[in-house]
Amino acid sequence: MAGSTITAGKKAGTPLPATYVTASGLPRYHPVSQALHWVTAALALAVLPLAWVAVSLPPAPAKGSLFVLHKSVGLTILAIVVLRIVWRMIRPASTDPLAPRLLTLIGRVNHGLLYAIFLIMPISGYLLSALSGRDTPYFWLFTIPGLTKDEGAQKIAESIHLVGQWFVYALVLLNVAATIWHLVIRRDGLLERMLPVQDGRGSR
């Protein structure tokens, strides 16, 4: 009901206006956090197939175009993750007061690892290209200059990039599995906290 207040969790705390919470009574993530989360997820789902297809193609203009898209999406992910980290520092995410401490800790560790791998992968990918002496076009809008050719450092970047992809697969699958567990087993409204308001109420 508009104008009513809901206290998040059983513990005493500052009542939150009903417009700030989900149907389950938990604080909804800020719209900026929601937008950054879903844009990152969409780009992560795009960057992997672009690499798979590009690698499988024979040398041709289409192969080069797909690699440009792959690198551009990767650099966009890098920029958004940096923005997410800064945003988290400015506005920390609200926690579920009913969640066990271990569950909260696991969630934080998972997010930290996701941030780390989404920083490591674009940086290693850029170095893999730049250390060959090549410039990196960004969506054909502008070009990021390459670096002095260094085969030894390039091989290190390549190894990091190749190994890192398996961490991406593992962490993304873990994140999806955790979301399903929260949705189907625990039923704690976690997914709703990350979705825009759909029932006429506002967001925190």
Side-chain angles (χ1 to χ4, degrees):
M1 181 179 296
S4 64
T5 59
I6 297 176
T7 300
K10 294 180 180 179
K11 296 181 180 180
T14 303
L16 299 173
T19 54
Y20 288 171
V21 299
T22 66
S24 58
L26 295 175
R28 193 182 296 274
Y29 286 102
H30 192 279
V32 172
S33 299
Q34 293 177 0
L36 292 174
H37 170 83
W38 292 112
V39 170
T40 304
L43 292 174
L45 291 176
V47 75
L48 295 173
L50 285 171
W52 299 334
V53 175
V55 169
S56 67
L57 290 177
K63 185 183 186 77
S65 296
L66 284 175
F67 269 120
V68 169
L69 288 173
H70 172 73
K71 295 173 187 178
S72 300
V73 171
L75 291 172
T76 304
I77 291 174
L78 174 63
I80 290 176
V81 170
V82 170
L83 182 59
R84 288 184 67 173
I85 293 172
V86 172
W87 177 252
R88 273 291 184 98
M89 294 171 65
I90 296 172
R91 184 152 187 161
S94 301
T95 58
D96 180 354
L98 300 181
R101 289 185 179 180
L102 179 59
L103 188 62
T104 300
L105 177 61
I106 292 173
R108 287 177 177 173
V109 170
N110 183 49
H111 275 92
L113 291 174
L114 278 170
Y115 286 158
I117 199 64
F118 283 138
L119 291 174
I120 291 170
M121 287 298 284
I123 292 173
S124 63
Y126 164 72
L127 291 175
L128 173 59
S129 177
L131 288 169
S132 67
R134 295 194 300 268
D135 296 337
T136 301
Y138 182 78
F139 288 118
W140 298 279
L141 298 175
F142 58 87
T143 300
I144 302 174
L147 302 173
T148 302
K149 190 171 183 178
D150 188 330
E151 292 185 1
Q154 185 189 22
K155 287 183 179 180
I156 293 174
E158 182 180 19
S159 297
I160 293 172
H161 202 66
L162 291 176
V163 172
Q165 69 175 320
W166 297 105
F167 284 92
V168 173
Y169 303 150
L171 289 170
V172 169
L173 288 175
L174 179 62
N175 200 51
V176 171
T179 300
I180 294 173
W181 180 75
H182 277 282
L183 182 64
V184 178
I185 306 298
R186 198 160 189 264
R187 299 183 181 180
D188 55 7
L190 176 67
L191 182 60
E192 185 187 0
R193 296 179 65 198
M194 190 51 76
L195 293 174
V197 177
Q198 300 179 49
D199 55 4
R201 295 179 297 169
S203 301
R204 186 175 184 181

